[in-house]
Amino acid sequence: MASKSFATAEELQESTKTKRKSKIEKSENFVGFLFVSPMLLGISVIVLFPIVATFILAFADWKFVTGIDQLQWVGLDNFIALTSDEKFIKSVINNAIFIFTVPITMLCALFLAVIIDKNVYLKSYFKVAFFMPYISSVVAIAVVWQVLFHPSQGPINQVLMTFGIENPPTWISDPNFALISLMIIHIWISIGFSLIVYIAGLQSIPKELYEAADIDGANSWYKFRNITFPLISPTSFFLLITGIIASFKVFDLIAVLTEGGPLNSTTMLVWHLYERAFLDLDVGYASAIAVVLFLFVFSITIIQWIGQKKWVNY
Amino acid sequence: MISTIILFFCSLAFLLPFIWMISTSLKIEADVFKYPIEWIPTRWNALANYQEVWFGDHPFYLYYWNSIKVAVFTTAISVVVSSLAAYGFSKVRFPAGAWLFIIVLATYMVPPQASLVPQFILYRYLGLFDTHIGLILLGSFSVLGTFMLRQFFIGIHNDFIDAAKIDGAGHWRIFWQIALPIVRPAVATYAILRFIWTWNDYQNPLIFLRTDALYTIQLAMQKFTTINGSFYTLIMAAAVSAILPLLIVFILGQKHVIDGIALGGVKG
């Protein structure tokens, strides 16, 4: 008897507990939504809704100035047109070439980071110096480089000529050198970011590993190859992925320096998209380019998820 | 010592363009391309150059004011929205939170340019096109900021929160009086970065602004270059003016900026 009534009491207590708990849960739910709702609302209006719209508009032909009733559904026509659009193909190729800036940036940054991480004087001066291009606005930097690269009188070619190079490249005005010029500037801008990330990565490597290697008499190349490089691989992987994604977003440099020229030698997906959308007002076609851009970035992110388990040492 | 010397020469490659920019902005036009380069001008024209940039036909003080307005408001709103969301996603225990966070994080994958066209159409429709408010709203909802601050909120021990709850404090009070003060350095870091990014933004003002009087400094810089063509001393004075406030913000908050970038990078 006694034990039964005890059980009932416990049950009773249990049920009030769940009741109270669910009440708390409800209020936690409400409060939680309140805290995140400004963010959710903003993201929905500014990112989620537009990206869905992009995917829908990619199947339409619409000059946006003509009003919504002029919109015509054309199915896959925009995507089919892309395959024979020379400028689009050139853009994809240029984007692919531009990816080479990423490993070069990483290599330079790692080299500098390893030296800075050792005992050098003026450590914070170096951090600021290498970081300057990253912090400065691309527009201002671009106009400085425009003058530095000036074909006949620019300081860079003046220096090259004093070193005996008779006909130095004309840089951004030469179709063969324009993309390379942009790549040089992009690398110069990005090194600071990679450098800071690498320094942080290097500092997280336990010093005991190097001490142990020292006892075994390892030289510095051996230590770099067998300790530093493997232990820094998550950082390298992070920089590789973010760097590639960032290389797809390059716009300011092209817009200020070359506008895709000369002879489409520096056009890229984002620039092509911009031209079609905001100069030609060709909404459907630009949306199709945007979808392609999205798919590129999306696949790289997926590769990140799969790839990181395979070769990154944590 | 040897490595310091190597590094010093490397650092020249990063600083010389800036030094050249400053030096050119002080010269007269005829001396711009003198070779060997005159690092310290022999003929000075600094006052006239900067006067033309700041108070000439396209007065930079106006564009400065626009940029400051946009950057300050964007930073302020973004910090509030992001820290609210970061707290909600980390310290309020609600089941839907985990899913909502994944959705928010997933939007980070969308390249900003892929949603540009519908944004533009939407802005025309809402009347936000060619307004500073529209520009400010575009930069105010940062997934990166939310993610970064959330990492810091997670670091606050839950016992703190529970103790405060037992004392009768609601989430709002806990957020405002306990959590936010603890993560203040992280908020400062994010605020500085957001300010720099907004100040440097060129693409959004280019697409979402038309009226000259509303231009931010980056647009003005570009326009100034187009108009003044080969007046390189003026262009460089404009470039110096565009970079200077950032330099000040950066040097004052150097540790915050570098730590923030390093943290974001290492923790992904």
Side-chain angles (χ1 to χ4, degrees):
Chain A
M1 251 325 247
S3 78
K4 204 187 172 200
S5 76
F6 184 71
T8 333
E10 206 173 52
E11 268 169 32
L12 207 78
Q13 210 181 357
E14 198 57 38
S15 85
T16 48
K17 225 183 193 174
T18 38
K19 223 180 242 167
R20 194 187 301 149
K21 207 177 155 199
S22 78
K23 206 175 167 191
I24 290 173
E25 250 171 29
K26 251 183 208 156
S27 89
E28 284 275 303
N29 250 328
F30 181 68
V31 173
F33 274 115
L34 276 188
F35 270 97
V36 302
S37 57
M39 186 73 196
L40 283 180
L41 192 71
I43 289 276
S44 308
V45 175
I46 284 177
V47 187
L48 281 179
F49 168 71
I51 192 71
V52 172
T54 296
F55 271 82
I56 296 169
L57 287 170
F59 298 99
D61 180 24
W62 183 31
K63 295 259 188 245
F64 144 78
V65 276
T66 56
I68 192 89
D69 50 316
Q70 295 292 310
L71 185 144
Q72 274 184 339
W73 298 107
V74 294
L76 288 171
D77 280 7
N78 287 326
F79 293 96
I80 293 164
L82 281 180
T83 57
S84 56
D85 173 355
E86 266 176 49
K87 199 164 186 186
F88 171 77
I89 294 164
K90 186 76 183 153
S91 299
V92 174
I93 294 170
N94 283 343
N95 264 122
I97 297 172
F98 208 80
I99 288 177
F100 283 105
T101 56
V102 181
I104 298 170
T105 302
M106 286 167 61
L107 223 64
C108 297
L110 182 58
F111 171 77
L112 293 170
V114 168
I115 301 180
I116 290 183
D117 193 47
K118 283 187 195 150
N119 286 319
V120 292
Y121 303 95
L122 305 168
K123 220 173 223 177
S124 45
Y125 155 77
F126 286 125
K127 279 188 190 174
V128 174
F130 292 119
F131 212 58
M132 271 289 288
Y134 180 76
I135 225 76
S136 308
S137 73
V138 176
V139 181
I141 281 175
V143 299
V144 172
W145 278 92
Q146 192 165 31
V147 189
L148 292 177
F149 273 144
H150 193 286
S152 54
Q153 298 168 299
I156 290 176
N157 276 357
Q158 298 255 30
V159 171
L160 288 177
M161 283 189 275
T162 50
F163 281 119
I165 298 165
E166 292 282 321
N167 291 307
T170 53
W171 305 107
I172 45 177
S173 44
D174 179 345
N176 294 317
F177 273 97
L179 189 62
I180 294 171
S181 310
L182 292 192
M183 288 169 79
I184 292 173
I185 303 173
H186 185 71
I187 292 169
W188 182 78
I189 294 171
S190 330
I191 282 179
F193 173 77
S194 305
L195 176 73
I196 298 297
V197 176
Y198 263 136
I199 290 177
L202 289 174
Q203 277 163 358
S204 67
I205 298 176
K207 294 280 169 283
E208 296 81 33
L209 291 174
Y210 292 109
E211 285 160 15
D214 280 336
I215 293 167
D216 293 343
N219 63 25
S220 30
W221 171 244
Y222 184 89
K223 278 187 283 185
F224 177 78
R225 252 200 52 175
N226 292 294
I227 301 172
T228 313
F229 193 71
L231 283 176
I232 212 146
S233 62
T235 308
S236 299
F237 188 71
F238 167 82
L239 286 174
L240 186 71
I241 294 299
T242 51
I244 292 174
I245 291 176
S247 78
F248 276 97
K249 296 179 189 168
V250 171
F251 174 80
D252 304 8
L253 270 184
I254 305 173
V256 177
L257 282 179
T258 63
E259 302 196 317
L263 297 172
N264 290 339
S265 60
T266 58
T267 183
M268 287 199 246
L269 281 175
V270 169
W271 175 255
H272 193 34
L273 183 150
Y274 170 78
E275 274 190 319
R276 294 308 291 252
F278 299 106
L279 304 181
D280 305 341
L281 299 174
D282 201 344
V283 169
Y285 197 83
S287 296
I289 300 174
V291 167
V292 174
L293 178 72
F294 176 83
L295 291 179
F296 276 134
V297 173
F298 181 77
S299 351
I300 293 163
T301 313
I302 296 296
I303 293 168
Q304 172 184 23
W305 282 108
I306 301 165
Q308 63 176 354
K309 285 173 196 121
K310 291 224 166 116
W311 68 275
V312 178
N313 299 290
Y314 283 108
Chain B
M1 194 64 209
I2 293 167
S3 36
T4 305
I5 294 167
I6 296 174
L7 269 188
F8 183 74
F9 280 104
C10 291
S11 76
L12 283 185
F14 287 79
L15 284 184
L16 279 184
F18 291 102
I19 298 171
W20 186 86
M21 167 184 82
I22 295 168
S23 138
T24 304
S25 76
L26 309 172
K27 289 177 188 169
I28 64 161
E29 201 55 48
D31 289 350
V32 170
F33 288 125
K34 258 197 182 162
Y35 192 81
I37 299 165
E38 277 179 0
W39 292 103
I40 296 165
T42 45
R43 289 184 283 185
W44 286 66
N45 199 34
L47 197 67
N49 288 342
Y50 280 92
Q51 213 161 24
E52 174 61 30
V53 170
W54 276 78
F55 304 103
D57 294 339
H58 308 280
F60 260 44
Y61 71 84
L62 172 70
Y63 306 123
Y64 250 72
W65 174 239
N66 291 339
S67 266
I68 290 171
K69 203 164 102 185
V70 170
V72 166
F73 278 107
T74 306
T75 305
I77 297 174
S78 177
V79 164
V80 172
V81 170
S82 283
S83 46
L84 279 175
Y87 180 85
F89 283 132
S90 59
K91 290 297 164 199
V92 184
R93 280 157 248 168
F94 68 123
W99 285 105
L100 293 174
F101 184 62
I102 289 174
I103 293 174
V104 170
L105 213 53
T107 62
Y108 191 56
M109 217 167 55
V110 179
Q113 290 98 352
S115 47
L116 218 48
V117 174
Q119 268 175 4
F120 180 79
I121 297 169
L122 184 77
Y123 263 46
R124 294 289 290 246
Y125 180 73
L126 293 176
L128 287 170
F129 178 72
D130 203 18
T131 65
H132 279 159
I133 295 174
L135 204 56
I136 291 165
L137 285 179
L138 276 179
S140 292
F141 304 97
S142 163
V143 179
L144 190 66
T146 306
F147 183 76
M148 204 170 118
L149 294 176
R150 179 178 165 271
Q151 298 292 90
F152 283 95
F153 277 120
I154 285 175
I156 301 174
H157 219 286
N158 274 332
D159 293 352
F160 262 129
I161 313 278
D162 291 336
K165 269 190 199 159
I166 289 164
D167 290 344
H171 270 300
W172 176 249
R173 258 189 82 178
I174 299 173
F175 167 73
W176 190 244
Q177 293 186 339
I178 299 172
L180 207 55
I182 296 177
V183 300
R184 200 157 48 195
V187 172
T189 300
Y190 173 61
I192 293 171
L193 285 173
R194 174 53 57 198
F195 185 89
I196 292 173
W197 291 331
T198 313
W199 184 275
N200 281 342
D201 186 20
Y202 169 69
Q203 191 174 299
N204 280 337
L206 177 72
I207 288 163
F208 293 98
L209 292 181
R210 279 289 173 277
T211 310
D212 188 279
L214 294 178
Y215 275 13
T216 60
I217 204 88
Q218 307 308 330
L219 276 189
M221 175 80 223
Q222 159 76 340
K223 193 186 76 174
F224 194 82
T225 311
T226 319
I227 291 169
N228 287 291
S230 52
F231 289 98
Y232 295 120
T233 53
L234 294 183
I235 292 171
M236 291 309 137
V240 172
S241 306
I243 292 176
L244 205 64
L246 288 187
L247 250 180
I248 296 168
V249 171
F250 174 51
I251 288 171
L252 290 179
Q254 194 211 111
K255 207 182 127 37
H256 278 306
V257 177
I258 291 179
D259 288 355
I261 299 254
L263 184 103
V266 172
K267 291 193 175 161

